[in-house]
Amino acid sequence: MPVSINQNAQAKKVATIVFGCQMSERDAETLTALSTGSGYVPTDEVQNADLIIVNTCCVRESAENKILGKIGELKRLKENNPNLKIAVCGCMVQQPGALVKLQKRAPHVDIWTGTHNLQNFATLLKETETKGKVAEVIKEHTGVSETPRRDKRKLRAYVNIMYGCNNFCSYCIVPHVRGRERSRPPAEIITEIQDLVSCGCREVTLLGQNVNSYGKELTPAYDFADLLQEVDQIPGLYRVRFITSHPKDLSDKLIETIAHGKHLCEHIHLPIQAGSNSILRSMNRQYTREYYLSRVAHIRELIPNVSLTTDFIVGFPGESEEDFAQTLDVVLQVQYSQAFTFLYSKRSGTPAAVMPNQIALDVKKKRLQELMNLQTQASLEWRERMVGKTYEVLVEGSSKTNPERLTGRTRGNELVVFNGDSELSGQLINVQIVEAGSWTLVGEVVYRNKLEQE
Ligand code: SAH
Ligand code: SF4
């Protein structure tokens, strides 16, 4: 039933603030959807909201500091509006022993909840009306059911295919806050994507901390490459992406599947973290530099136009200048289209936090800058090689930085801006690249609707 303007004016409003990875974004979408189920209407205006949800990240200290700053800022809004409810959710709250410290630091927060009990958010919301402040952080959840989303009509959607991680890289907090690997049954994933496509979605990104170990614990076991093949067949879906792949589980079958897939995008995010074998060993990454580079060579052999992206951690305990030089060398050898570079951050409870030979902050920062300079140059060269060529682009709508222009992404996930009619939004078109900017590409539409040409 349509909501009358009057009712809408009275409806309580919910604003959501998200920190962290795509999984955190997807969780935030679920929390928003659950609050709309409780009568709230989403708003982008935090200062006018009746409920503010902060979905948190704890992967690095810098993220945590930013979030604590944001939660602190919200206190003023609560002072102006005592009816305002503030909910802080997700990874930061889920950390062992974190809740008590957080509650002490931010007594103005009404609801605290971790990553494992998202589904209970509507109940917590109700409880806070009667009980005041509520907190619920359960140790681990083993369920994997579909979670609601705010708007199924979006062009691009994230779809969780699995939760948790079994890898325990020595620096990483994720397995401690997301639990062990749990895969969703393939049929449930396919049905969810079919439903999204029927609502207008054209691109899905399959999410997991290590998607290529998908299905190993299902009975019978199910292979990620088989799941990709099934998703590739869904009528009406233009594009399929996935993150994140762990190099140790990247099988030949998976590479062949991407090479032969129709809608499987030629983009693989393959975090290497470091280029030196001794650092990789101490990180517990379970592959060597040589193995990683041989995987890259095999990918490039089968998928010559692949766009590879990665994550690097700089200044891991014990990293010598020689170790770091090996990381720089990987940038030169692999030619990533893009890389995410991070300063190593001590996470309490992880083995690396108590390793000897922690690297001084000024050394870490100097190395990070050097790595970023090299990668910025490599990314620019990557984009310059695209100039003059034509690429398939899924049009997302007006560019945020230049609303006169449209924006979209290539199959390799490169961002392109171009002039065009807003009616092109949601369509696959061909765009010729005419200029490589420092972060984006500038293109010209070659012909209107690629699908009409087929
Ligand atoms: N599951 C994914 C990524 C998880 S976290 C994977 O294995 O690739 C995203 C990125 O954050 C990691 O790839 C890593 O580069 C970075 N990261 C994780 N823990 C970190 C830490 N303690 N300090 C700095 N960067 C970290
Ligand atoms: Fe963290 Fe390693 Fe698991 Fe990625 S694979 S989430 S880096 S423990």
Side-chain angles (χ1 to χ4, degrees):
M1 201 175 66
V3 181
S4 78
I5 295 175
N6 232 355
Q7 263 175 305
N8 234 341
Q10 284 165 10
K12 289 185 178 181
K13 300 189 186 76
V14 53
T16 311
I17 306 171
V18 194
F19 293 89
C21 64
Q22 293 84 356
M23 216 161 270
S24 176
E25 255 183 70
R26 177 71 190 91
D27 286 352
E29 201 184 8
T30 297
L31 292 164
T32 314
L34 289 168
S35 51
T36 58
S38 302
Y40 286 86
V41 174
T43 176
D44 292 332
E45 292 168 14
V46 175
Q47 63 282 7
N48 293 331
D50 302 282
L51 166 67
I52 300 174
I53 300 172
V54 183
N55 205 40
T56 60
C57 166
C58 62
V59 87
R60 283 171 293 276
E61 195 183 354
S62 53
E64 282 200 311
N65 289 341
K66 231 200 252 167
I67 297 165
L68 288 171
K70 178 51 85 183
I71 298 172
E73 275 174 37
L74 299 180
K75 191 172 176 188
R76 200 179 35 82
L77 292 180
K78 179 98 179 170
E79 282 161 2
N80 293 342
N81 173 13
N83 293 327
L84 169 67
K85 300 274 177 225
I86 300 175
V88 178
C89 316
C91 288
M92 204 165 139
V93 188
Q94 189 68 46
Q95 286 177 97
L99 179 64
V100 176
K101 285 188 213 152
L102 287 167
Q103 280 174 317
K104 222 180 248 172
R105 188 171 170 146
H108 57 288
V109 170
D110 301 278
I111 303 176
W112 296 97
T113 178
T115 50
H116 291 298
N117 43 338
L118 285 187
Q119 313 270 29
N120 286 357
F121 189 66
T123 313
L124 291 177
L125 207 47
K126 208 159 179 218
E127 276 182 14
T128 189
E129 307 282 344
T130 51
K131 291 189 193 165
K133 300 195 185 305
V134 291
E136 185 181 65
V137 181
I138 63 167
K139 195 158 177 272
E140 185 161 350
H141 197 282
T142 47
V144 287
S145 60
E146 180 184 342
T147 48
R149 55 181 81 231
R150 177 180 154 187
D151 185 1
K152 286 186 182 174
R153 294 162 304 173
K154 285 203 288 192
L155 182 66
R156 298 151 77 218
Y158 291 131
V159 176
N160 286 116
I161 61 164
M162 61 189 297
Y163 301 93
C165 179
N166 291 353
N167 288 322
F168 288 94
C169 299
S170 63
Y171 50 83
C172 186
I173 195 77
V174 172
H176 305 265
V177 292
R178 292 264 174 197
R180 299 294 71 72
E181 287 176 6
R182 284 121 36 223
S183 301
R184 291 177 64 196
E188 193 183 297
I189 297 168
I190 299 297
T191 307
E192 182 177 357
I193 300 175
Q194 284 168 335
D195 181 32
L196 286 169
V197 171
S198 73
C199 297
C201 170
R202 295 290 170 256
E203 176 180 308
V204 290
T205 303
L206 309 180
L207 294 184
Q209 293 300 344
N210 176 10
V211 283
N212 33 30
S213 71
Y214 169 80
K216 284 187 178 157
E217 76 322 329
L218 287 175
T219 327
Y222 199 87
D223 195 74
F224 178 57
D226 293 331
L227 179 71
L228 273 185
Q229 282 175 25
E230 273 206 60
V231 177
D232 192 23
Q233 306 299 320
I234 295 176
L237 186 63
Y238 294 172
R239 287 177 167 187
V240 184
R241 301 184 185 280
F242 53 90
I243 34 175
T244 297
S245 301
H246 195 298
K248 78 175 165 61
D249 297 312
L250 191 82
S251 66
D252 286 352
K253 180 175 168 184
L254 177 57
I255 301 172
E256 282 156 23
T257 301
I258 301 165
H260 297 129
K262 185 154 190 260
H263 305 105
L264 309 181
C265 289
E266 294 81 8
H267 169 218
I268 305 180
H269 184 61
L270 199 61
I272 185 166
Q273 313 296 1
S276 131
N277 280 336
S278 84
I279 297 297
L280 286 172
R281 207 173 311 118
S282 155
M283 286 178 161
N284 189 30
R285 285 294 288 179
Q286 304 173 61
Y287 53 83
T288 60
R289 163 197 180 84
E290 292 74 23
Y291 180 78
Y292 182 95
L293 292 174
S294 74
R295 289 284 77 190
V296 167
H298 193 55
I299 295 170
R300 286 244 154 89
E301 192 186 328
L302 267 64
I303 319 169
N305 55 343
V306 72
S307 163
L308 290 172
T309 56
T310 200
D311 293 345
F312 287 111
I313 296 178
V314 169
F316 187 79
E319 184 188 72
S320 66
E321 284 297 334
E322 265 168 33
D323 291 322
F324 177 61
Q326 299 256 299
T327 295
L328 296 177
D329 183 63
V330 165
V331 173
L332 296 175
Q333 285 206 41
V334 177
Q335 295 288 307
Y336 296 106
S337 57
Q338 200 186 359
F340 300 90
T341 52
F342 307 109
L343 283 183
Y344 165 69
S345 170
K346 257 191 194 180
R347 300 288 70 200
S348 128
T350 63
V354 289
M355 281 181 186
N357 304 322
Q358 299 282 331
I359 307 296
L361 185 62
D362 58 336
V363 177
K364 283 198 229 180
K365 283 188 174 167
K366 189 180 127 295
R367 289 182 188 166
L368 183 74
Q369 195 53 56
E370 201 175 337
L371 177 61
M372 281 165 56
N373 291 348
L374 194 65
Q375 181 55 48
T376 303
Q377 183 57 30
S379 296
L380 182 61
E381 285 168 13
W382 173 269
R383 285 193 296 277
E384 280 171 351
R385 284 196 289 275
M386 295 176 74
V387 173
K389 297 182 191 146
T390 297
Y391 293 85
E392 177 200 282
V393 167
L394 177 61
V395 186
E396 289 168 23
S398 303
S399 157
K400 274 192 199 129
T401 47
N402 188 348
E404 307 279 283
R405 287 182 156 187
L406 294 176
T407 185
R409 282 177 190 269
T410 64
R411 287 171 68 105
N413 210 30
E414 290 99 357
L415 200 63
V416 190
V417 290
F418 47 93
N419 290 325
D421 194 326
S422 61
E423 280 175 15
L424 291 177
S425 293
Q427 294 189 34
L428 282 181
I429 60 168
N430 277 344
V431 172
Q432 185 178 36
I433 306 302
V434 293
E435 194 188 320
S438 15
W439 300 110
T440 50
L441 295 156
V442 180
E444 279 171 7
V445 178
V446 175
Y447 46 77
R448 275 188 63 107
N449 186 337
K450 180 169 180 288
L451 291 184
E452 281 169 13
Q453 313 289 319
E454 285 177 345

